[in-house]
Every structure is written in C-alpha cells, then in structure tokens.
Amino acid sequence: MKTTNNTVFISGGSAGIGLEIAKSFSEKGNKVIINGRNRERLDNALEQLENAVAIQGDLSIESERIRIANELIQNHPDVNIVINNAGEAYYYNLADNSNTYELAKKEINTNYLTIIHFTDLLLPHLLQKEDAALVNVTSIASLVSYAPIPTYAASKAALRSYTQSLRNALKATSVKIFEVLPPLVNTSFSTEIGGENGIPPKEVADELLIALEQNQFDVPVGQTKVVLGAFQEALSKLSQN
C-alpha cells in the first residue's frame, strides 16, 4: 500500500493518536481530512497540519454519520483511506457500578456499531479505487480483559472480530483491511487509567505507516506485540491438537 498521494479520512483526528496519524500522513504529502466533535480542537489541529481540512460532526449519531459520509464522497471523491480511530471509554468497577448497561450501550455504539455503519456507507466508494484501505483502531484490551474498562474491552474485542471477518470478505478486492492494536498510550483519553505511563502516540502512527507500506494487516504496537504473539502461539498449538 502506498503511503503518499492518498486522501485520508481520520475520525478522532483532532488529538491523541488520531492527530499523530494525521501529522504522519500530512508530512508524507497526503491530503488529510480530520473529524471530531469540537470545532476549537479541530481548528487547533489544523494549525499543526499541512494540506488538511476538517469535517466537524459526531459519528456516533446516525444522521451525522450519513452526512459526513455523503460530504466525503461528494466533496472529497479521492478519499481512499479511512481510519476509524474515534472511541469512547468509561472507567469503573463492574461490582460497584449499577449503570453498566447505559455505559456499555454508549461504548458499543461508538466503538463498534458506528464503525460498521460508516463502513457500509463508504465501502462502495472505496471499492471503486485501485488502491484503498480501511483501518480500524482497536486496542490491546481486545485481547485481554482490563478491569477498569470492562465494557470498553468488550467493544474492542467485537471490533477486532468484525475487522477480521471484513478482511476475509474483501481479500479479493482492492480494499485492504488493517487493524491497529495500541497498548496504553499517553493521551488525555487514557488519563484515568494512568496514561502518563503509556507510549507516545507518535509510536502508534509510525507503526501504522510502516505496516501500510509492508501490507502488514495486523498492527500491534509496543507491549501488544508480546500479547498478540502469545495469543497466536496458543491458537497455533490448539489447532495442532
């Protein structure tokens, strides 16, 4: 997959991992389209980018998803890489919290169902491109449960399973399906679970660019490489028995 002369859409592109991915693509001469809910944060991000525009909107709302997808197709028809990075997480103890259903409903909607619908809206367009990619950002939490973020981990595990199924379904097409699996990353998003101890978001962006160039569809980053390696080794042993 080429990493230059693309038109790249990045949800959650105004801060954290999304902004670092936007910077990496911008520096390589790609056109970048960032999305987020907050206009001020989007404007601040644009000041740090070249050849970039923003589409404000909340992808977790169905009508907004449809509007954003239509705007991409109509106003940015060259878009050929879509990066689903935006996410929602709540930190709590299952034993103490009586609002689990409401919190899980929000996480499943933002982290899983939103991405499925947005993919449905954009996939016919991407399939018309000679070289296209869809990148879903999951998490190390999709492989191992994390007590402070139990239903977030479940939503990312669902997204990982869907991403693998989508990859298999599209393997004979021009659309490549990538999955980025960050560990704890030092962003405002992860502050409540000790994000200051995590890796810099630029490391995630750098690993993604390398993976795209090499057509490496699973993109574990940092400690996730160890966890995913152990996970795959265990699966291999089970298949041999």
Side-chain angles (χ1 to χ4, degrees):
M1 179 89 200
K2 61 185 177 71
T3 56
T4 59
N5 299 315
N6 298 290
T7 298
V8 186
F9 173 84
I10 306 167
S11 68
S14 64
I17 293 173
L19 179 55
E20 289 300 327
I21 291 173
K23 288 178 181 178
S24 294
F25 275 104
S26 177
E27 290 166 0
K28 292 180 73 69
N30 298 281
K31 178 182 177 181
V32 173
I33 307 161
I34 58 172
N35 160 256
R37 292 175 290 187
N38 185 288
R39 184 75 248 178
E40 183 178 353
R41 290 176 66 176
L42 286 170
D43 289 341
N44 180 63
L46 289 176
E47 291 178 359
Q48 304 173 58
L49 302 169
E50 295 183 5
N51 196 27
V53 297
I55 299 178
Q56 184 180 6
D58 187 346
L59 283 168
S60 69
I61 300 171
E62 182 175 346
S63 60
E64 287 286 274
R65 283 197 296 277
I66 294 170
R67 175 184 63 81
I68 292 167
N70 287 338
E71 185 170 342
L72 276 174
I73 293 168
Q74 293 170 12
N75 298 343
H76 308 281
D78 291 337
V79 64
N80 68 314
I81 298 179
V82 173
I83 301 176
N84 293 306
N85 165 72
E88 189 164 4
Y90 295 97
Y91 311 99
Y92 60 93
N93 187 323
L94 284 173
D96 301 332
N97 196 282
S98 60
N99 199 32
T100 300
Y101 170 67
E102 291 300 325
L103 299 180
K105 188 164 62 173
K106 293 178 182 178
E107 290 168 325
I108 288 291
N109 178 56
T110 299
N111 303 338
Y112 181 54
L113 296 176
T114 287
I115 292 171
I116 292 177
H117 187 209
F118 199 54
T119 300
D120 284 351
L121 293 170
L122 290 176
L123 189 55
H125 175 79
L126 293 176
L127 285 167
Q128 297 175 25
K129 303 298 179 183
E130 291 184 7
D131 198 21
L134 191 147
V135 181
N136 289 336
V137 179
T138 62
S139 169
I140 191 173
S142 67
L143 302 172
V144 291
S145 61
Y146 272 67
I149 47 172
T151 49
Y152 169 82
S155 71
K156 289 297 188 177
L159 180 58
R160 173 167 169 76
S161 179
Y162 164 76
T163 302
Q164 292 175 324
S165 296
L166 185 64
R167 182 184 300 152
N168 288 333
L170 298 178
K171 61 185 177 182
T173 75
S174 62
V175 182
K176 301 177 178 68
I177 307 299
F178 295 82
E179 178 189 2
V180 182
L181 297 98
L184 184 65
V185 180
N186 186 6
T187 66
S188 58
F189 183 81
S190 61
T191 299
E192 292 186 51
I193 55 171
E196 69 275 7
N197 299 313
I199 65 170
K202 186 178 185 302
E203 186 173 334
V204 182
D206 290 344
E207 291 275 11
L208 172 57
L209 267 291
I210 292 170
L212 287 170
E213 290 174 342
Q214 298 177 352
N215 285 328
Q216 173 195 324
F217 300 124
D218 281 327
V219 193
V221 184
Q223 187 64 24
T224 312
K225 294 179 181 179
V226 177
V227 175
L228 183 60
F231 188 75
Q232 291 173 333
E233 182 179 354
L235 286 177
S236 178
K237 289 180 179 178
L238 283 173
S239 66
Q240 295 172 7
N241 293 334

